[in-house]
PDB file of all heavy atoms in Angstrom:
ATOM      1  N   ALA A  54       2.232   3.936  15.536  1.00 88.00           N
ATOM      2  CA  ALA A  54       2.205   4.492  14.165  1.00 88.00           C
ATOM      3  C   ALA A  54       1.908   5.992  14.180  1.00 88.00           C
ATOM      4  O   ALA A  54       1.044   6.464  13.440  1.00 88.00           O
ATOM      5  CB  ALA A  54       1.181   3.751  13.328  1.00 88.00           C
ATOM      6  N   ASN A  55       2.594   6.714  15.074  1.00 92.00           N
ATOM      7  CA  ASN A  55       2.561   8.177  14.959  1.00 92.00           C
ATOM      8  C   ASN A  55       3.854   8.753  15.511  1.00 92.00           C
ATOM      9  O   ASN A  55       4.557   8.114  16.293  1.00 92.00           O
ATOM     10  CB  ASN A  55       1.312   8.778  15.612  1.00 92.00           C
ATOM     11  CG  ASN A  55       1.380   8.730  17.102  1.00 92.00           C
ATOM     12  OD1 ASN A  55       2.208   9.383  17.720  1.00 92.00           O
ATOM     13  ND2 ASN A  55       0.552   7.893  17.692  1.00 92.00           N
ATOM     14  N   PHE A  56       4.170   9.972  15.056  1.00 95.00           N
ATOM     15  CA  PHE A  56       5.502  10.550  15.293  1.00 95.00           C
ATOM     16  C   PHE A  56       5.778  10.757  16.785  1.00 95.00           C
ATOM     17  O   PHE A  56       6.862  10.409  17.282  1.00 95.00           O
ATOM     18  CB  PHE A  56       5.652  11.867  14.540  1.00 95.00           C
ATOM     19  CG  PHE A  56       7.056  12.419  14.610  1.00 95.00           C
ATOM     20  CD1 PHE A  56       8.079  11.809  13.899  1.00 95.00           C
ATOM     21  CD2 PHE A  56       7.341  13.499  15.415  1.00 95.00           C
ATOM     22  CE1 PHE A  56       9.379  12.283  13.983  1.00 95.00           C
ATOM     23  CE2 PHE A  56       8.645  13.985  15.513  1.00 95.00           C
ATOM     24  CZ  PHE A  56       9.657  13.377  14.800  1.00 95.00           C
ATOM     25  N   ASP A  57       4.811  11.278  17.524  1.00 94.00           N
ATOM     26  CA  ASP A  57       5.030  11.520  18.965  1.00 94.00           C
ATOM     27  C   ASP A  57       5.356  10.217  19.690  1.00 94.00           C
ATOM     28  O   ASP A  57       6.268  10.160  20.517  1.00 94.00           O
ATOM     29  CB  ASP A  57       3.789  12.183  19.594  1.00 94.00           C
ATOM     30  CG  ASP A  57       3.523  13.536  18.934  1.00 94.00           C
ATOM     31  OD1 ASP A  57       4.478  14.061  18.298  1.00 94.00           O
ATOM     32  OD2 ASP A  57       2.377  14.014  19.011  1.00 94.00           O
ATOM     33  N   ALA A  58       4.616   9.140  19.327  1.00 93.00           N
ATOM     34  CA  ALA A  58       4.872   7.836  19.968  1.00 93.00           C
ATOM     35  C   ALA A  58       6.296   7.392  19.653  1.00 93.00           C
ATOM     36  O   ALA A  58       7.005   6.879  20.521  1.00 93.00           O
ATOM     37  CB  ALA A  58       3.870   6.809  19.454  1.00 93.00           C
ATOM     38  N   PHE A  59       6.728   7.637  18.422  1.00 94.00           N
ATOM     39  CA  PHE A  59       8.094   7.249  18.027  1.00 94.00           C
ATOM     40  C   PHE A  59       9.122   8.006  18.859  1.00 94.00           C
ATOM     41  O   PHE A  59      10.070   7.418  19.396  1.00 94.00           O
ATOM     42  CB  PHE A  59       8.320   7.516  16.542  1.00 94.00           C
ATOM     43  CG  PHE A  59       9.733   7.252  16.090  1.00 94.00           C
ATOM     44  CD1 PHE A  59      10.199   5.951  15.961  1.00 94.00           C
ATOM     45  CD2 PHE A  59      10.594   8.304  15.808  1.00 94.00           C
ATOM     46  CE1 PHE A  59      11.513   5.708  15.568  1.00 94.00           C
ATOM     47  CE2 PHE A  59      11.906   8.067  15.414  1.00 94.00           C
ATOM     48  CZ  PHE A  59      12.364   6.763  15.296  1.00 94.00           C
ATOM     49  N   MET A  60       8.928   9.336  18.998  1.00 94.00           N
ATOM     50  CA  MET A  60       9.916  10.139  19.742  1.00 94.00           C
ATOM     51  C   MET A  60       9.882   9.790  21.228  1.00 94.00           C
ATOM     52  O   MET A  60      10.894   9.858  21.906  1.00 94.00           O
ATOM     53  CB  MET A  60       9.653  11.629  19.506  1.00 94.00           C
ATOM     54  CG  MET A  60       9.902  12.077  18.067  1.00 94.00           C
ATOM     55  SD  MET A  60      11.471  11.512  17.374  1.00 94.00           S
ATOM     56  CE  MET A  60      12.598  12.751  18.037  1.00 94.00           C
ATOM     57  N   ARG A  61       8.706   9.355  21.722  1.00 92.00           N
ATOM     58  CA  ARG A  61       8.593   8.951  23.137  1.00 92.00           C
ATOM     59  C   ARG A  61       9.350   7.632  23.348  1.00 92.00           C
ATOM     60  O   ARG A  61      10.065   7.454  24.330  1.00 92.00           O
ATOM     61  CB  ARG A  61       7.118   8.728  23.513  1.00 92.00           C
ATOM     62  CG  ARG A  61       6.426   9.884  24.194  1.00 92.00           C
ATOM     63  CD  ARG A  61       5.152   9.431  24.936  1.00 92.00           C
ATOM     64  NE  ARG A  61       4.296   8.544  24.161  1.00 92.00           N
ATOM     65  CZ  ARG A  61       3.367   8.970  23.275  1.00 92.00           C
ATOM     66  NH1 ARG A  61       3.228  10.256  23.063  1.00 92.00           N
ATOM     67  NH2 ARG A  61       2.631   8.105  22.629  1.00 92.00           N
TER      68      ARG A  61
END
Side-chain angles (χ1 to χ4, degrees):
N55 73 66
F56 187 72
D57 299 341
F59 175 73
M60 293 312 278
R61 263 199 314 275

